[in-house]
Amino acid sequence: MVQIIKKGAPIYAMDKANQAIATAKDGDRLIFEAYDCFEDQITDEHGAFEKLDWNRINPATGPVYVEGAEVGDILAVTIEKLDIGDTATLFTGSDSGVMGDELTENTIRRLPIENGAIKFSEKIDIPLNMMIGVIGTAPAGDAVSCGTPNAHGGNMDCKEIGEGTTLFLPVNVAGALLAMGDCHAAMGDGEVSVCGAEVPCDITVTVKVIKNKDWPTPFLIRDGKLATIASAKTLDEASVMATKQMVHFVEQYTDLSKGNAVHLLSLAADLRVCQIVDPNKTARMELPLTYLTKWSTGELN
């Protein structure tokens, strides 16, 4: 049986004080109905933007209380399907994104999605790379805006968080309080304009509670690779954090010393940018699982 989590009144911050709108059991399959990052407010390329309520940006659906999830556990969220809308919204302008200091007017696009591609122009079709921008659990301390990524997850805007990915998030409060939204039909590493191809989406996931694991979160597994994810005020800080988190995995799941673990990453891992436009910047470190010689599928049980 699949439980549908209605988008209804979304949340704008991940907060231990948020009231759960649904309860799930370990192993349940859930469908989160999600608005786009503008809460579906932009319906054309002109007048609608002037009426945009900026207090309703990056809404997330939830939170969901996961039974059995206790502080110190890890919540594994396997993304099974992203069922997106047929039109993508894009925005950039003054004070937005990397070029905000040079832009003097807004550029808003409403682009059709047809035959597995975004119709960017008559000559350019962009293949779909569907992913979730905002996904996380409640932090233990103060509330964190859904627009800001941090150790709890949140607005990581990592293009690897898509179909077939299992994302591992910390359980900071009882029940984890999982929420998600801000899906993209496509986005490149960096998200330099300040948004991806923003779309409403129905997100099908399965949740699993993992206990007694010393794993630095958030991280993901997809297509035979493990990627640590870190967010910080600067991209430099985030990059160092993601690298150190991966060293932890290498030390734990190989016979390598710390020094040789770093050598391995320097030769075989890829340090990549997720996004550089949010209040915290996000980086990831990717390593094929084959290098973690002591890792087995049993680790996820």
Side-chain angles (χ1 to χ4, degrees), residues 135-295:
I135 180 169
T137 53
D142 294 338
V144 179
S145 164
C146 287
T148 300
N150 213 312
H152 69 292
N155 195 26
M156 295 177 288
D157 282 317
C158 172
K159 72 177 187 180
E160 295 297 319
I161 303 177
E163 291 181 350
T165 296
T166 298
L167 177 68
F168 299 81
L169 295 165
V171 178
N172 302 305
V173 300
L177 298 182
L178 175 68
M180 63 190 73
D182 179 35
C183 291
H184 304 149
M187 193 195 81
D189 281 336
E191 199 187 26
V192 294
S193 80
V194 82
C195 71
E198 308 291 340
V199 287
C201 185
D202 289 346
I203 308 165
T204 303
V205 303
T206 298
V207 294
K208 181 178 178 59
V209 178
I210 297 179
K211 295 183 177 291
N212 303 315
K213 294 294 185 181
D214 179 23
W215 291 341
T217 53
F219 73 95
L220 63 83
I221 293 176
R222 184 185 196 186
D223 295 336
K225 65 186 176 186
L226 186 149
T228 51
I229 307 170
S231 301
K233 285 297 182 184
T234 70
L235 191 57
D236 285 353
E237 291 174 290
S239 298
V240 170
M241 289 169 61
T243 301
K244 289 186 174 183
Q245 289 167 2
M246 186 62 82
V247 168
H248 179 100
F249 276 106
V250 175
E251 286 188 288
Q252 187 172 359
Y253 290 101
T254 71
D255 293 319
L256 297 176
S257 66
K258 190 183 298 290
N260 280 316
V262 177
H263 279 318
L264 176 65
L265 298 189
S266 198
L267 299 181
D270 290 306
L271 182 61
R272 301 189 186 278
V273 173
C274 293
Q275 59 77 27
I276 58 171
V277 294
D278 293 333
N280 286 339
K281 317 308 177 191
T282 307
R284 68 183 185 275
M285 174 65 87
E286 300 177 350
L287 182 71
L289 275 168
T290 52
Y291 288 105
L292 301 180
T293 54
K294 293 184 177 180
W295 181 276

Side-chain angles (χ1 to χ4, degrees), residues 118-132:
I118 301 166
K119 308 295 290 186
F120 189 80
S121 70
E122 290 185 5
K123 297 182 178 180
I124 300 176
D125 284 356
I126 298 175
L128 295 184
N129 174 30
M130 299 181 294
M131 45 81 70
I132 304 171

